[in-house]
Structures are given as structure tokens and as C-alpha cells.
Amino acid sequence: ADDLQDAGIKVVGYLTTSYAGRSEGEVKDEIDRYYDWYDLDGVFLDEVSTSDHGYYKDLREYAENPEGSQTVVLNPGAPVPESYEDAADIIIVYENSGSPSGVDSNGIPESKLGALPYGGEPSESEYKELTESVGYAYKAPDWMYAASNIEDQADWAD
């Protein structure tokens, strides 16, 4: 974790919430174990229900401690109601094969939204369209690494 953090990469611990089926106490205990074992920058909560805002808001408030600045990522893999804006720092609103033709933000600022496309290789135009819809795209296409100018790559990542 230290090498990644030294390179400016945030390191988060993975936890499943089983679509709000796990008790908050159980998830909080797991968050505590992660923070006790590793020097993490936050948590990635997976299998997120799109209809239990209070559950995730409580987990965010808990996970932001002990320093109050940890990053909380929610992965419902689909759009969530606008109320979820205060339940995470980053919300993955697309997790599916290929690039989406559009992302429904439901009023949440695009800078808080993320996408996890998998399978296939998006074209430059598909990738650019995606990065204009979300603040975080978690799969960089192979052609991006072939760019000879590092500034070109940074422009695509913004």
C-alpha cells in the first residue's frame, strides 16, 4: 500500500454489503479490521442497493473516520437516486460490458460518478464520451498507453 500511496494512488479496502443485506455492525467491524491492518485511504463498498440510502450514509460517516478524510466508494453498478450524493465520495453508476451510450446522473454531479466498463476495447470516441459523463473511468484502453506524448494521456484522464 505504501508504494502505491507514494505514487499518488489512493488505496481502498474492498467490502461487500450484499445489497444492504449485511448488518451495519458487521460491515463496520470489517472496516475497523482494514484500518487496523493497513494504512488505507478508504473503502470500496460493493454490491450496493439502490434503495437504502440511510444504510450507506451511516457507513460513509463511519468509514470516514478515524481521520475524517477517508474516501468512500459505492458500487451499485447502476444509477442511484440523487439522495445518494451524500453517501459517498465516488459512486459507480455503470458496471457492465462495453462502454455506456450515456450515464444517468439523477442530479448527482458528474465529478462524483464513476464507471467500470469491462470486456472489449472502447474506441477513442467512446472513451472520450464516457469520461465526459463521469469523473472516474476505471478501465483505460490499451490504445491510451500507446500515446507517445504523456501530456496526451493526461488530457484523456481528466
Side-chain angles (χ1 to χ4, degrees):
D2 290 340
D3 290 342
L4 292 171
Q5 290 164 325
D6 290 345
I9 298 170
K10 289 190 176 193
V11 179
V12 295
Y14 174 91
L15 300 97
T16 182
T17 66
S18 299
Y19 303 97
R22 292 180 69 195
S23 74
E24 283 187 41
E26 184 180 4
V27 176
K28 289 175 180 180
D29 286 346
E30 193 169 351
I31 290 169
D32 287 341
R33 284 193 301 275
Y34 263 121
Y35 288 165
D36 287 344
W37 295 341
Y38 307 105
D39 183 25
L40 297 179
D41 299 303
V43 294
F44 181 102
L45 302 175
D46 201 8
E47 296 183 349
V48 169
S49 168
T50 60
S51 62
D52 205 336
H53 167 259
Y55 175 89
Y56 294 104
K57 186 171 187 307
D58 289 347
L59 289 176
R60 178 192 188 175
E61 290 171 0
Y62 188 83
E64 286 180 331
N65 293 313
E67 297 172 22
S69 61
Q70 274 76 9
T71 299
V72 176
V73 181
L74 294 183
N75 182 22
V80 293
E82 186 175 13
S83 61
Y84 273 63
E85 181 179 352
D86 67 355
D89 298 295
I90 302 167
I91 303 169
I92 306 301
V93 294
Y94 180 83
E95 181 182 14
N96 212 327
S97 177
S99 292
S101 58
V103 173
D104 189 355
S105 70
N106 287 335
I108 298 171
E110 292 170 352
S111 62
K112 290 189 80 159
L113 304 179
L116 287 169
Y118 56 83
E121 177 78 11
S123 68
E124 287 187 40
S125 62
E126 289 172 327
Y127 190 77
K128 185 171 183 176
E129 181 181 341
L130 175 61
T131 58
E132 289 173 352
S133 300
V134 298
Y136 302 88
Y138 290 97
K139 178 184 179 186
D142 291 340
W143 55 259
M144 190 173 180
Y145 297 109
S148 61
N149 184 333
I150 193 92
E151 290 179 8
D152 289 342
Q153 294 178 24
D155 289 342
W156 279 106
D158 287 344

